[in-house]
């Protein structure tokens, strides 16, 4: 019975994690709970229950949600391996770091700040190319729709 209780506790954490990721993406896109609910055929209160993890999201609905929020289904599970007890569910520590970086980056509302951050990361990764990247990096990002 202890193993079943532990598994139930973990699934509750998974539901809460998926709900947090759903809320982050919804807010990033500027979509209200009501609007998302309409697109899913739900009330805004059902969306709230998904986001706080009190209701589990079925596979079909999660797939539909991923389409509406324009992310792959895996997006909702990213970073789960960084949580205690779920280390075995992710491939490498880099995945957790990338997920945290992705969450933080997506929460930056200013496109120029995001472009500057990309230029900074590139310069840290390859100092030799830092000068050429920083001169045209922001313009290239605007052309490809990053801002």
């Amino acid at each position: 019975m202890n193993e079943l209780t532990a598994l139930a506790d973990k699934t509750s954490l998974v539901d809460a994690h998926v709900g947090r990721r759903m809320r982050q993406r919804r807010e990033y896109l500027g979509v209200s709970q009501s609007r998302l609910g309409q697109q899913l055929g739900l009330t805004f209160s059902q969306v709230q229950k998904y986001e706080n993890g009190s209701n589990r999201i079925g596979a079909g609905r999660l797939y539909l949600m991923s389409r509406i929020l324009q992310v792959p289904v895996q997006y909702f599970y990213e970073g789960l391996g960084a949580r205690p007890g779920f280390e075995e569910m992710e491939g490498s520590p880099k995945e957790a770091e990338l997920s945290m970086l992705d969450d933080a980056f997506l929460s930056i509302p200013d496109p120029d700040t995001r472009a500057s951050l990309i230029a900074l990361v590139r310069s840290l990764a390859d100092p030799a190319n830092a000068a050429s990247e920083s001169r045209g990096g922001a313009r290239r990002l605007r052309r490809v729709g990053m801002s």
Side-chain angles (χ1 to χ4, degrees):
M1 191 66 145
N2 282 342
E3 289 179 32
L4 292 177
T5 303
L7 183 58
D9 289 343
K10 279 189 178 184
T11 56
S12 296
L13 291 174
V14 172
D15 296 332
H17 180 83
V18 169
R20 273 191 301 278
R21 296 287 290 167
M22 177 183 144
R23 181 178 55 247
Q24 287 171 343
R25 183 64 180 171
R26 178 185 60 75
E27 289 175 347
Y28 171 74
L29 293 174
V31 176
S32 70
Q33 288 177 330
S34 296
R35 184 169 156 216
L36 180 59
Q38 287 173 345
Q39 291 177 311
L40 291 168
L42 304 169
T43 64
F44 80 92
S45 62
Q46 183 64 44
V47 172
Q48 283 179 326
K49 290 177 183 179
Y50 284 158
E51 288 184 354
N52 69 29
S54 62
N55 281 12
R56 184 166 293 155
I57 304 170
R61 184 146 291 142
L62 188 63
Y63 176 77
L64 180 57
M65 198 174 304
S66 75
R67 302 290 298 203
I68 292 168
L69 297 177
Q70 305 166 6
V71 291
V73 173
Q74 304 89 296
Y75 168 86
F76 299 105
Y77 298 97
E78 289 173 359
L80 191 58
R83 299 185 60 84
F86 290 95
E87 295 84 2
E88 69 280 357
M89 296 180 77
E90 295 267 345
S92 72
K94 287 182 182 179
E95 288 182 45
E97 291 171 343
L98 287 172
S99 179
M100 290 185 299
L101 185 58
D102 183 49
D103 291 344
F105 182 80
L106 292 176
S107 71
I108 299 170
D110 181 50
D112 290 331
T113 302
R114 288 192 308 268
S116 295
L117 186 57
I118 290 171
L120 172 66
V121 171
R122 285 183 175 157
S123 72
L124 293 171
D126 188 4
N129 285 333
S132 64
E133 285 293 321
S134 64
R135 285 193 293 272
R139 287 189 300 277
R140 280 194 300 277
L141 289 173
R142 284 191 190 98
R143 280 198 305 269
V144 297
M146 286 295 293
S147 58

